Each structure stands twice: as structure tokens, then as C-alpha cells.
Amino acid sequence: MSGLRLEPNAPESGLPVIEVPPGQSMTIGRGRQADINIDDASLSRLHARVTAEPDGLLAIDDLGSTNGIAINGREQLSSYLRPGDIVRFGRVEYVVTGG
């Protein structure tokens, strides 16, 4: 499995596509210190970290956010992601694509 990415669940939302190069991590949040900035009040300044494992899997970790992350409607602190999973950061939804 390779080439997984997070795409906005509502493409017209203007949210960025989240692509992480293999072997690297990116932080997501509304603060300037986040690698991927999403200007939405439901996100913490540093909300979550997405890591692309060398084998192409995506891992997600909550960074102590106020409104949490949910995978397919279930609150999670960390998880591996699969194509078709719906990821929610606060009120913002993404779908995992690729593979």
C-alpha cells in the first residue's frame, strides 16, 4: 500500500489536501507552528500528527487536542488509516484516498 493521502470530505471547502512523504510526519492545527494550517476554531493550535510509514501506511496521533480526532465516527488517540476511512479533526472531515 502506498500513496495514501487525506482529501477534504467536502472538496468545495477550500481545505488543503494532506500528503505526507514516506518516512516523514506533519502536524495539523490552526496555529502557525503547525505544518498544515487549517483555520477552523474547532482545531487546536497543534491538533494532530500524521506520519507516513516507509511502507506507505498512514498513522495519526492526537496531540492533546481539545476536540479530538475521530476515525469513522469513533474517537481515537492514535490509529492507522486505510483508504475510505473518514477522519475528523474537531468539525473538519477528511477522507483517506490512494493506495
Side-chain angles (χ1 to χ4, degrees):
M1 192 178 291
S2 65
L4 295 180
R5 64 188 166 279
L6 295 169
E7 295 187 17
N9 205 17
E12 68 281 355
S13 66
L15 294 169
V17 172
I18 300 171
E19 294 186 83
V20 182
Q24 295 187 26
S25 295
M26 293 183 143
T27 56
I28 299 163
R30 66 178 166 79
R32 282 183 264 146
Q33 67 271 40
D35 297 314
I36 299 165
N37 187 273
I38 298 174
D39 187 21
D40 187 284
S42 70
L43 271 71
S44 296
R45 287 184 190 100
L46 280 177
H47 199 95
R49 176 181 297 114
V50 177
T51 302
E53 304 288 339
D55 60 6
L57 288 174
L58 279 181
I60 190 166
D61 297 289
D62 188 297
L63 296 177
S65 67
T66 301
N67 292 318
I69 57 173
I71 313 302
N72 301 320
R74 291 188 60 217
E75 294 288 327
Q76 301 283 318
L77 291 177
S78 65
S79 182
Y80 281 103
L81 302 174
R82 295 181 171 90
D85 284 346
I86 303 295
V87 180
R88 183 178 43 78
F89 306 99
R91 294 184 309 247
V92 178
E93 281 193 351
Y94 277 81
V95 63
V96 179
T97 64

